[in-house]
Each structure stands twice: as C-alpha cells, then as structure tokens.
Amino acid sequence: MKKKEILSLENIVFAYPNYSVFEGLSIQIHEGEWVAIVGANGSGKTTLAKILSGLIQVEKGTFKITDELVTTDNFVELRKKVGMVFQNPDDQFVGVTVRDDIAFGLENHQLSREIMQERIQEYATKVEIIDFLDREPHALSGGQKQRVAIASVLALEPQIMIFDESTSMLDPHARQEVMDVVQTLHIDDQKTILTITHDLEEALLADRMIVLHDGKIVADAPPLEIFSDETLDLTAYRLQLPFYIAVSKALKQAGKISKLYHTKEGLVSALCNR
Ligand SMILES: Nc1ncnc2c1ncn2[C@@H]1O[C@H](COP(=O)(O)OP(=O)(O)O)[C@@H](O)[C@H]1O
Ligand SMILES: [Mg+2]
C-alpha cells in the first residue's frame, strides 16, 4: 500500500535578500517515513527545514502539510504539526528547570494542569530524562540537553519531527543517545522523521536519503542504493562516505568483493567467505 503524503513541496521558490536558495524544488514526504536530508554546508538544508516547519514562507509554488495548503492565514496553525529540534540545545532552553522548559511550550496550548503534568511525565520518560526534571538544563551533559530539547518538542505532539544537525555538536556517546531516541520515535511511534545532517553514517539509518546540492536534489533513494550508484560521486558534493561504504567501494573496484557493505560484520564476512 502506498503511504499517504504528509509534507509536499511543489516547485517552490525561496530567496534571501541577496541569495536565491530554491528555484523550483519539489519534495514529497510520506507518513511514517524517516528521511535523511544531506548536503554540504550552504546547500540549503536549514532553509528547507525552516520552510517545512513554517518558520519562513515560500515565495512561489505550493507547500502542503497533511493535504492542507499552507497559506499566510493558516501557517501558524499548521506549523503545530511540525516539531523542530536544532543543532545547539543551549539555544533552545527557556526554563529554569527541565520541567519548566517542557512546560513552557505547553503553556500556549490551553491544556489543564493535569494534562500538562501527564505530558511532561510521558515525554520525559520516553527520552529518559525523568531523573533530571528538577535540574537546570544548562548543567546537563550534551546528550542529556538534547534529549530535554527533544522532550520539549515531543510534548507538543507534532506529527512530524525535524532534527536539524541535532547531533553535530555532540560527542559519539551523546550522538548515539540522540539517535536511539530518533529510532524509538520512528519504530515505536511511527512518527514521520526528517534528520538533516552532513554525516552520511547517520543518514544510513534512514529509509530514504535526499542529497541536496546548491538548492537542488541530486539524489533521492534508500541510502544504500545511492551509495551503490556508480554514476554518482558524492564526494563531488563535498560529502564524506560512511567508513565501511568507502572501504567496500575500494575493495569492489579492486575486484575483491561484488557489492557494498555498510557494517564491519558484513564486510568481514564477505572477505572471509571469498
Ligand atoms: N538569513 C540569511 N540571509 C542571507 N543568506 C542566507 C541566510 N541564511 C542562509 N543563507 C544562505 O543560503 C544558503 C543556504 O543556507 P542554509 O539553508 O543555512 O544551508 P545549510 O543548512 O545546508 O548549511 C547559503 O548560501 C547561506 O549562505
Ligand atoms: Mg544548516
């Protein structure tokens, strides 16, 4: 069964005062999909995230969220369907404690105190920050901070979650913590997820990968399909291949293996069984 479209951009045009970013971009995202949007610095990823989350509006073309056309009149309402987590968690805190921080976003949603408390408990549990609810967000580790930022967005119960380089300032351990949360949201909650990154290792986890270059889509397919495409050189777009993909590409070119592997185990077993 074909999944329902949840976000749709048709031929959109967007420019900053001195710089044109998109000159006719089209993208369709389906319900429950995890799409990684990758591209080098300046390729338009954050601008795209801002359009999709209703922070900025397109000049031309159409943008639909769950089949509804986004217009100047309804975009404030429609953007509640899209939650965005940014790169630097420190920029996202408003509360004195973690609990206040999650509550802050909920205060504009006319919820009763009980429901607010329930939501705080539910989402703090989901991202495993329940023990920090009374701590100051700034005093937490990088991974903990980013999980607080995620809980604050999740508590608003958006249908779509966008992560804009949300792991790029984190150490490998914290990065894994955040990716574990993303995976839980994808698998257990079937949320529609967009992870924006220049890290192709991270993009490997997604169902689909869209490669942006200078505001244009140069590839759109499952990550392994894109990596296996001989006609596409991602390094030309200033992207670094995932480690085991790069190694297996070199081994394949040397005639040692016949396809690409993205894990150490896969590659080792292919080499041992030759
Ligand atoms: N506020 C702005 N004003 C003018 N140009 C901008 C602004 N924000 C981004 N740009 C330019 O738009 C292009 C795309 O930027 P951005 O969407 O931030 O890319 P990415 O997130 O992929 O690094 C870049 O060339 C950038 O310099
Ligand atoms: Mg960016």
Side-chain angles (χ1 to χ4, degrees):
M1 196 184 76
K2 200 167 179 297
K3 288 234 173 172
K4 231 176 91 194
E5 269 176 20
I6 194 162
L7 288 174
S8 164
L9 295 176
E10 280 292 348
N11 255 318
I12 58 126
V13 172
F14 179 85
Y16 293 110
N18 302 313
Y19 190 83
S20 166
V21 187
F22 300 122
E23 292 166 351
L25 181 77
S26 301
I27 296 181
Q28 272 73 41
I29 309 281
H30 303 97
E31 213 165 45
E33 236 180 352
W34 175 356
V35 180
I37 302 202
V38 305
N41 259 340
S43 56
K45 303 183 300 296
T46 294
T47 307
L48 177 63
K50 286 183 174 167
I51 291 172
L52 292 174
S53 56
L55 293 174
I56 53 180
Q57 284 195 277
V58 300
E59 285 153 38
K60 279 196 202 144
T62 56
F63 170 31
K64 287 186 193 166
I65 302 181
T66 58
D67 270 346
E68 279 185 88
L69 192 65
V70 179
T71 64
T72 314
D73 296 331
N74 66 8
F75 87 105
V76 173
E77 201 47 42
L78 285 179
R79 78 177 171 206
K80 289 184 183 158
K81 297 187 179 187
V82 186
M84 175 120 137
V85 179
F86 298 88
Q87 182 172 34
N88 187 349
D90 284 313
D91 293 343
Q92 300 168 63
F93 296 133
V94 281
V96 177
T97 64
V98 169
R99 188 191 304 279
D100 292 344
D101 203 78
I102 306 174
F104 183 82
L106 291 171
E107 268 155 19
N108 299 323
H109 284 240
Q110 279 101 35
L111 301 170
S112 69
R113 240 193 102 69
E114 290 72 44
I115 302 248
M116 262 177 68
Q117 292 308 323
E118 271 172 37
R119 290 237 192 140
I120 293 171
Q121 290 291 321
E122 178 182 350
Y123 293 103
T125 306
K126 184 169 280 294
V127 305
E128 298 178 20
I129 52 162
I130 202 89
D131 295 338
F132 318 133
L133 280 176
D134 296 309
R135 301 213 5 223
E136 276 179 50
H138 292 284
L140 303 175
S141 74
Q144 290 164 348
K145 281 180 185 172
Q146 201 54 301
R147 283 184 285 143
V148 171
I150 295 171
S152 299
V153 178
L154 280 178
L156 307 172
E157 304 195 329
Q159 286 171 264
I160 303 144
M161 288 287 284
I162 302 181
F163 295 85
D164 187 6
E165 305 264 9
S166 304
T167 58
S168 65
M169 296 182 73
L170 304 178
D171 61 50
H173 175 74
R175 192 177 274 232
Q176 190 56 49
E177 285 177 13
V178 170
M179 291 319 288
D180 288 347
V181 172
V182 174
Q183 250 168 331
T184 306
L185 296 175
H186 176 56
I187 294 166
D188 299 350
D189 304 341
Q190 275 117 48
K191 280 234 191 268
T192 306
I193 293 173
L194 266 69
T195 44
I196 295 180
T197 175
H198 60 265
D199 179 356
L200 298 189
E201 295 285 351
E202 215 173 272
L204 264 174
L205 300 165
D207 302 320
R208 177 177 160 203
M209 180 165 107
I210 294 177
V211 184
L212 268 189
H213 177 67
D214 276 349
K216 293 181 191 66
I217 295 177
V218 294
D220 179 355
L224 276 178
E225 235 172 77
I226 294 183
F227 296 132
S228 307
D229 183 348
E230 305 279 356
T231 63
L232 188 73
D233 177 14
L234 292 177
T235 58
Y237 303 118
R238 290 184 286 134
L239 291 166
Q240 199 179 354
L241 290 177
F243 180 73
Y244 290 105
I245 293 284
V247 174
S248 38
K249 269 206 162 172
L251 288 166
K252 186 166 171 265
Q253 262 160 21
K256 306 283 182 202
I257 53 175
S258 57
K259 62 174 209 151
L260 304 183
Y261 296 88
H262 65 288
T263 62
K264 181 171 155 188
E265 293 71 26
L267 183 56
V268 169
S269 83
L271 285 171
C272 294
N273 293 327
R274 287 174 64 222

PDB file of all heavy atoms in Angstrom, residues 104-128:
ATOM      1  N   PHE A 104       6.932  25.090  29.324  1.00  0.00           N
ATOM      2  CA  PHE A 104       6.839  26.385  28.646  1.00  0.00           C
ATOM      3  C   PHE A 104       6.105  26.297  27.308  1.00  0.00           C
ATOM      4  O   PHE A 104       5.175  27.050  27.043  1.00  0.00           O
ATOM      5  CB  PHE A 104       8.242  26.968  28.438  1.00  0.00           C
ATOM      6  CG  PHE A 104       8.209  28.327  27.811  1.00  0.00           C
ATOM      7  CD1 PHE A 104       7.980  29.454  28.595  1.00  0.00           C
ATOM      8  CD2 PHE A 104       8.389  28.482  26.444  1.00  0.00           C
ATOM      9  CE1 PHE A 104       7.922  30.713  28.016  1.00  0.00           C
ATOM     10  CE2 PHE A 104       8.327  29.744  25.858  1.00  0.00           C
ATOM     11  CZ  PHE A 104       8.098  30.856  26.654  1.00  0.00           C
ATOM     12  N   GLY A 105       6.509  25.347  26.483  1.00  0.00           N
ATOM     13  CA  GLY A 105       5.879  25.204  25.167  1.00  0.00           C
ATOM     14  C   GLY A 105       4.414  24.831  25.289  1.00  0.00           C
ATOM     15  O   GLY A 105       3.591  25.210  24.452  1.00  0.00           O
ATOM     16  N   LEU A 106       4.084  24.098  26.355  1.00  0.00           N
ATOM     17  CA  LEU A 106       2.710  23.612  26.527  1.00  0.00           C
ATOM     18  C   LEU A 106       1.758  24.712  26.992  1.00  0.00           C
ATOM     19  O   LEU A 106       0.552  24.613  26.833  1.00  0.00           O
ATOM     20  CB  LEU A 106       2.693  22.473  27.561  1.00  0.00           C
ATOM     21  CG  LEU A 106       3.354  21.163  27.122  1.00  0.00           C
ATOM     22  CD1 LEU A 106       3.476  20.209  28.298  1.00  0.00           C
ATOM     23  CD2 LEU A 106       2.558  20.520  25.993  1.00  0.00           C
ATOM     24  N   GLU A 107       2.360  25.778  27.574  1.00  0.00           N
ATOM     25  CA  GLU A 107       1.508  26.813  28.157  1.00  0.00           C
ATOM     26  C   GLU A 107       0.633  27.529  27.129  1.00  0.00           C
ATOM     27  O   GLU A 107      -0.438  28.007  27.464  1.00  0.00           O
ATOM     28  CB  GLU A 107       2.349  27.800  28.969  1.00  0.00           C
ATOM     29  CG  GLU A 107       2.394  27.349  30.419  1.00  0.00           C
ATOM     30  CD  GLU A 107       3.607  27.842  31.176  1.00  0.00           C
ATOM     31  OE1 GLU A 107       4.244  28.817  30.736  1.00  0.00           O
ATOM     32  OE2 GLU A 107       3.909  27.226  32.222  1.00  0.00           O
ATOM     33  N   ASN A 108       1.080  27.549  25.882  1.00  0.00           N
ATOM     34  CA  ASN A 108       0.272  28.205  24.846  1.00  0.00           C
ATOM     35  C   ASN A 108      -0.792  27.284  24.275  1.00  0.00           C
ATOM     36  O   ASN A 108      -1.468  27.644  23.333  1.00  0.00           O
ATOM     37  CB  ASN A 108       1.160  28.651  23.684  1.00  0.00           C
ATOM     38  CG  ASN A 108       2.187  29.639  24.149  1.00  0.00           C
ATOM     39  OD1 ASN A 108       1.896  30.465  25.000  1.00  0.00           O
ATOM     40  ND2 ASN A 108       3.385  29.533  23.617  1.00  0.00           N
ATOM     41  N   HIS A 109      -0.876  26.083  24.808  1.00  0.00           N
ATOM     42  CA  HIS A 109      -1.772  25.108  24.197  1.00  0.00           C
ATOM     43  C   HIS A 109      -3.065  24.879  24.970  1.00  0.00           C
ATOM     44  O   HIS A 109      -3.775  23.909  24.723  1.00  0.00           O
ATOM     45  CB  HIS A 109      -1.039  23.773  23.971  1.00  0.00           C
ATOM     46  CG  HIS A 109      -0.115  23.826  22.783  1.00  0.00           C
ATOM     47  ND1 HIS A 109      -0.251  23.001  21.704  1.00  0.00           N
ATOM     48  CD2 HIS A 109       0.932  24.638  22.511  1.00  0.00           C
ATOM     49  CE1 HIS A 109       0.689  23.289  20.814  1.00  0.00           C
ATOM     50  NE2 HIS A 109       1.428  24.279  21.288  1.00  0.00           N
ATOM     51  N   GLN A 110      -3.352  25.749  25.917  1.00  0.00           N
ATOM     52  CA  GLN A 110      -4.610  25.672  26.679  1.00  0.00           C
ATOM     53  C   GLN A 110      -4.900  24.270  27.222  1.00  0.00           C
ATOM     54  O   GLN A 110      -5.963  23.703  27.008  1.00  0.00           O
ATOM     55  CB  GLN A 110      -5.803  26.128  25.813  1.00  0.00           C
ATOM     56  CG  GLN A 110      -5.956  27.629  25.728  1.00  0.00           C
ATOM     57  CD  GLN A 110      -5.413  28.182  24.417  1.00  0.00           C
ATOM     58  OE1 GLN A 110      -5.518  27.537  23.392  1.00  0.00           O
ATOM     59  NE2 GLN A 110      -4.823  29.342  24.461  1.00  0.00           N
ATOM     60  N   LEU A 111      -3.900  23.706  27.887  1.00  0.00           N
ATOM     61  CA  LEU A 111      -4.102  22.379  28.465  1.00  0.00           C
ATOM     62  C   LEU A 111      -4.317  22.535  29.963  1.00  0.00           C
ATOM     63  O   LEU A 111      -3.800  23.473  30.575  1.00  0.00           O
ATOM     64  CB  LEU A 111      -2.862  21.510  28.231  1.00  0.00           C
ATOM     65  CG  LEU A 111      -2.459  21.274  26.778  1.00  0.00           C
ATOM     66  CD1 LEU A 111      -1.104  20.605  26.710  1.00  0.00           C
ATOM     67  CD2 LEU A 111      -3.508  20.431  26.066  1.00  0.00           C
ATOM     68  N   SER A 112      -5.059  21.609  30.546  1.00  0.00           N
ATOM     69  CA  SER A 112      -5.249  21.666  32.001  1.00  0.00           C
ATOM     70  C   SER A 112      -3.917  21.309  32.669  1.00  0.00           C
ATOM     71  O   SER A 112      -3.042  20.700  32.050  1.00  0.00           O
ATOM     72  CB  SER A 112      -6.325  20.679  32.428  1.00  0.00           C
ATOM     73  OG  SER A 112      -5.847  19.363  32.241  1.00  0.00           O
ATOM     74  N   ARG A 113      -3.792  21.682  33.945  1.00  0.00           N
ATOM     75  CA  ARG A 113      -2.565  21.391  34.696  1.00  0.00           C
ATOM     76  C   ARG A 113      -2.252  19.907  34.732  1.00  0.00           C
ATOM     77  O   ARG A 113      -1.107  19.504  34.575  1.00  0.00           O
ATOM     78  CB  ARG A 113      -2.752  21.886  36.139  1.00  0.00           C
ATOM     79  CG  ARG A 113      -1.739  22.926  36.549  1.00  0.00           C
ATOM     80  CD  ARG A 113      -1.751  23.143  38.050  1.00  0.00           C
ATOM     81  NE  ARG A 113      -0.627  22.441  38.694  1.00  0.00           N
ATOM     82  CZ  ARG A 113       0.649  22.790  38.560  1.00  0.00           C
ATOM     83  NH1 ARG A 113       0.992  23.800  37.786  1.00  0.00           N
ATOM     84  NH2 ARG A 113       1.598  22.136  39.196  1.00  0.00           N
ATOM     85  N   GLU A 114      -3.312  19.111  34.885  1.00  0.00           N
ATOM     86  CA  GLU A 114      -3.126  17.649  34.967  1.00  0.00           C
ATOM     87  C   GLU A 114      -2.564  17.101  33.655  1.00  0.00           C
ATOM     88  O   GLU A 114      -1.633  16.316  33.664  1.00  0.00           O
ATOM     89  CB  GLU A 114      -4.452  16.912  35.257  1.00  0.00           C
ATOM     90  CG  GLU A 114      -5.028  17.114  36.645  1.00  0.00           C
ATOM     91  CD  GLU A 114      -5.596  18.511  36.844  1.00  0.00           C
ATOM     92  OE1 GLU A 114      -6.291  19.002  35.926  1.00  0.00           O
ATOM     93  OE2 GLU A 114      -5.317  19.121  37.901  1.00  0.00           O
ATOM     94  N   ILE A 115      -3.169  17.543  32.570  1.00  0.00           N
ATOM     95  CA  ILE A 115      -2.714  17.053  31.261  1.00  0.00           C
ATOM     96  C   ILE A 115      -1.264  17.488  31.034  1.00  0.00           C
ATOM     97  O   ILE A 115      -0.436  16.727  30.544  1.00  0.00           O
ATOM     98  CB  ILE A 115      -3.609  17.578  30.102  1.00  0.00           C
ATOM     99  CG1 ILE A 115      -5.051  17.155  30.354  1.00  0.00           C
ATOM    100  CG2 ILE A 115      -3.067  17.139  28.738  1.00  0.00           C
ATOM    101  CD1 ILE A 115      -5.655  16.148  29.443  1.00  0.00           C
ATOM    102  N   MET A 116      -0.963  18.742  31.431  1.00  0.00           N
ATOM    103  CA  MET A 116       0.411  19.226  31.263  1.00  0.00           C
ATOM    104  C   MET A 116       1.386  18.333  32.030  1.00  0.00           C
ATOM    105  O   MET A 116       2.411  17.927  31.490  1.00  0.00           O
ATOM    106  CB  MET A 116       0.532  20.674  31.747  1.00  0.00           C
ATOM    107  CG  MET A 116       0.446  21.654  30.614  1.00  0.00           C
ATOM    108  SD  MET A 116       0.494  23.370  31.134  1.00  0.00           S
ATOM    109  CE  MET A 116       2.137  23.582  31.731  1.00  0.00           C
ATOM    110  N   GLN A 117       1.029  18.037  33.286  1.00  0.00           N
ATOM    111  CA  GLN A 117       1.909  17.185  34.105  1.00  0.00           C
ATOM    112  C   GLN A 117       2.058  15.793  33.496  1.00  0.00           C
ATOM    113  O   GLN A 117       3.149  15.231  33.483  1.00  0.00           O
ATOM    114  CB  GLN A 117       1.387  17.082  35.557  1.00  0.00           C
ATOM    115  CG  GLN A 117       1.482  18.379  36.348  1.00  0.00           C
ATOM    116  CD  GLN A 117       2.879  18.990  36.305  1.00  0.00           C
ATOM    117  OE1 GLN A 117       3.887  18.301  36.327  1.00  0.00           O
ATOM    118  NE2 GLN A 117       2.950  20.317  36.196  1.00  0.00           N
ATOM    119  N   GLU A 118       0.956  15.289  32.972  1.00  0.00           N
ATOM    120  CA  GLU A 118       0.996  13.957  32.345  1.00  0.00           C
ATOM    121  C   GLU A 118       1.931  13.940  31.133  1.00  0.00           C
ATOM    122  O   GLU A 118       2.712  13.021  30.958  1.00  0.00           O
ATOM    123  CB  GLU A 118      -0.400  13.557  31.838  1.00  0.00           C
ATOM    124  CG  GLU A 118      -1.249  12.835  32.855  1.00  0.00           C
ATOM    125  CD  GLU A 118      -2.667  12.662  32.335  1.00  0.00           C
ATOM    126  OE1 GLU A 118      -2.846  12.423  31.109  1.00  0.00           O
ATOM    127  OE2 GLU A 118      -3.588  12.796  33.158  1.00  0.00           O
ATOM    128  N   ARG A 119       1.804  14.997  30.337  1.00  0.00           N
ATOM    129  CA  ARG A 119       2.658  15.073  29.132  1.00  0.00           C
ATOM    130  C   ARG A 119       4.136  15.163  29.521  1.00  0.00           C
ATOM    131  O   ARG A 119       4.987  14.541  28.912  1.00  0.00           O
ATOM    132  CB  ARG A 119       2.296  16.308  28.300  1.00  0.00           C
ATOM    133  CG  ARG A 119       0.956  16.169  27.640  1.00  0.00           C
ATOM    134  CD  ARG A 119       1.079  16.327  26.151  1.00  0.00           C
ATOM    135  NE  ARG A 119      -0.229  16.463  25.570  1.00  0.00           N
ATOM    136  CZ  ARG A 119      -0.536  17.299  24.587  1.00  0.00           C
ATOM    137  NH1 ARG A 119       0.392  18.085  24.066  1.00  0.00           N
ATOM    138  NH2 ARG A 119      -1.743  17.355  24.103  1.00  0.00           N
ATOM    139  N   ILE A 120       4.413  15.971  30.544  1.00  0.00           N
ATOM    140  CA  ILE A 120       5.811  16.119  30.980  1.00  0.00           C
ATOM    141  C   ILE A 120       6.348  14.755  31.402  1.00  0.00           C
ATOM    142  O   ILE A 120       7.439  14.343  30.979  1.00  0.00           O
ATOM    143  CB  ILE A 120       5.931  17.166  32.112  1.00  0.00           C
ATOM    144  CG1 ILE A 120       5.598  18.562  31.567  1.00  0.00           C
ATOM    145  CG2 ILE A 120       7.337  17.141  32.725  1.00  0.00           C
ATOM    146  CD1 ILE A 120       5.476  19.650  32.617  1.00  0.00           C
ATOM    147  N   GLN A 121       5.561  14.023  32.210  1.00  0.00           N
ATOM    148  CA  GLN A 121       5.989  12.698  32.673  1.00  0.00           C
ATOM    149  C   GLN A 121       6.188  11.757  31.477  1.00  0.00           C
ATOM    150  O   GLN A 121       7.195  11.066  31.383  1.00  0.00           O
ATOM    151  CB  GLN A 121       4.926  12.071  33.602  1.00  0.00           C
ATOM    152  CG  GLN A 121       4.802  12.753  34.942  1.00  0.00           C
ATOM    153  CD  GLN A 121       6.020  12.548  35.827  1.00  0.00           C
ATOM    154  OE1 GLN A 121       6.602  11.487  35.859  1.00  0.00           O
ATOM    155  NE2 GLN A 121       6.431  13.599  36.529  1.00  0.00           N
ATOM    156  N   GLU A 122       5.213  11.753  30.585  1.00  0.00           N
ATOM    157  CA  GLU A 122       5.239  10.814  29.463  1.00  0.00           C
ATOM    158  C   GLU A 122       6.478  11.018  28.583  1.00  0.00           C
ATOM    159  O   GLU A 122       7.198  10.070  28.267  1.00  0.00           O
ATOM    160  CB  GLU A 122       3.966  10.985  28.616  1.00  0.00           C
ATOM    161  CG  GLU A 122       3.958  10.063  27.402  1.00  0.00           C
ATOM    162  CD  GLU A 122       2.729  10.247  26.509  1.00  0.00           C
ATOM    163  OE1 GLU A 122       1.776  10.948  26.896  1.00  0.00           O
ATOM    164  OE2 GLU A 122       2.758   9.664  25.399  1.00  0.00           O
ATOM    165  N   TYR A 123       6.730  12.288  28.220  1.00  0.00           N
ATOM    166  CA  TYR A 123       7.827  12.514  27.274  1.00  0.00           C
ATOM    167  C   TYR A 123       9.192  12.519  27.959  1.00  0.00           C
ATOM    168  O   TYR A 123      10.187  12.157  27.332  1.00  0.00           O
ATOM    169  CB  TYR A 123       7.547  13.760  26.426  1.00  0.00           C
ATOM    170  CG  TYR A 123       6.358  13.476  25.539  1.00  0.00           C
ATOM    171  CD1 TYR A 123       5.098  13.977  25.826  1.00  0.00           C
ATOM    172  CD2 TYR A 123       6.495  12.603  24.455  1.00  0.00           C
ATOM    173  CE1 TYR A 123       3.995  13.652  25.042  1.00  0.00           C
ATOM    174  CE2 TYR A 123       5.397  12.272  23.674  1.00  0.00           C
ATOM    175  CZ  TYR A 123       4.151  12.791  23.972  1.00  0.00           C
ATOM    176  OH  TYR A 123       3.083  12.445  23.206  1.00  0.00           O
ATOM    177  N   ALA A 124       9.220  12.886  29.233  1.00  0.00           N
ATOM    178  CA  ALA A 124      10.490  12.799  29.966  1.00  0.00           C
ATOM    179  C   ALA A 124      10.872  11.325  30.128  1.00  0.00           C
ATOM    180  O   ALA A 124      12.046  10.962  30.064  1.00  0.00           O
ATOM    181  CB  ALA A 124      10.374  13.487  31.313  1.00  0.00           C
ATOM    182  N   THR A 125       9.869  10.471  30.302  1.00  0.00           N
ATOM    183  CA  THR A 125      10.129   9.037  30.414  1.00  0.00           C
ATOM    184  C   THR A 125      10.631   8.495  29.081  1.00  0.00           C
ATOM    185  O   THR A 125      11.607   7.755  29.021  1.00  0.00           O
ATOM    186  CB  THR A 125       8.833   8.291  30.832  1.00  0.00           C
ATOM    187  OG1 THR A 125       8.337   8.905  32.016  1.00  0.00           O
ATOM    188  CG2 THR A 125       9.091   6.817  31.070  1.00  0.00           C
ATOM    189  N   LYS A 126       9.963   8.914  28.028  1.00  0.00           N
ATOM    190  CA  LYS A 126      10.325   8.418  26.688  1.00  0.00           C
ATOM    191  C   LYS A 126      11.784   8.697  26.334  1.00  0.00           C
ATOM    192  O   LYS A 126      12.456   7.843  25.790  1.00  0.00           O
ATOM    193  CB  LYS A 126       9.394   9.038  25.638  1.00  0.00           C
ATOM    194  CG  LYS A 126       9.648   8.502  24.247  1.00  0.00           C
ATOM    195  CD  LYS A 126       8.584   8.907  23.265  1.00  0.00           C
ATOM    196  CE  LYS A 126       7.329   8.111  23.292  1.00  0.00           C
ATOM    197  NZ  LYS A 126       7.450   6.726  22.890  1.00  0.00           N
ATOM    198  N   VAL A 127      12.263   9.894  26.663  1.00  0.00           N
ATOM    199  CA  VAL A 127      13.639  10.217  26.287  1.00  0.00           C
ATOM    200  C   VAL A 127      14.621  10.022  27.462  1.00  0.00           C
ATOM    201  O   VAL A 127      15.775  10.431  27.379  1.00  0.00           O
ATOM    202  CB  VAL A 127      13.773  11.636  25.689  1.00  0.00           C
ATOM    203  CG1 VAL A 127      12.837  11.827  24.506  1.00  0.00           C
ATOM    204  CG2 VAL A 127      13.514  12.699  26.734  1.00  0.00           C
ATOM    205  N   GLU A 128      14.107   9.404  28.541  1.00  0.00           N
ATOM    206  CA  GLU A 128      14.934   9.043  29.697  1.00  0.00           C
ATOM    207  C   GLU A 128      15.617  10.231  30.372  1.00  0.00           C
ATOM    208  O   GLU A 128      16.834  10.245  30.553  1.00  0.00           O
ATOM    209  CB  GLU A 128      15.946   7.960  29.305  1.00  0.00           C
ATOM    210  CG  GLU A 128      15.242   6.681  28.854  1.00  0.00           C
ATOM    211  CD  GLU A 128      16.194   5.578  28.396  1.00  0.00           C
ATOM    212  OE1 GLU A 128      17.380   5.634  28.767  1.00  0.00           O
ATOM    213  OE2 GLU A 128      15.732   4.686  27.685  1.00  0.00           O
TER     214      GLU A 128
END
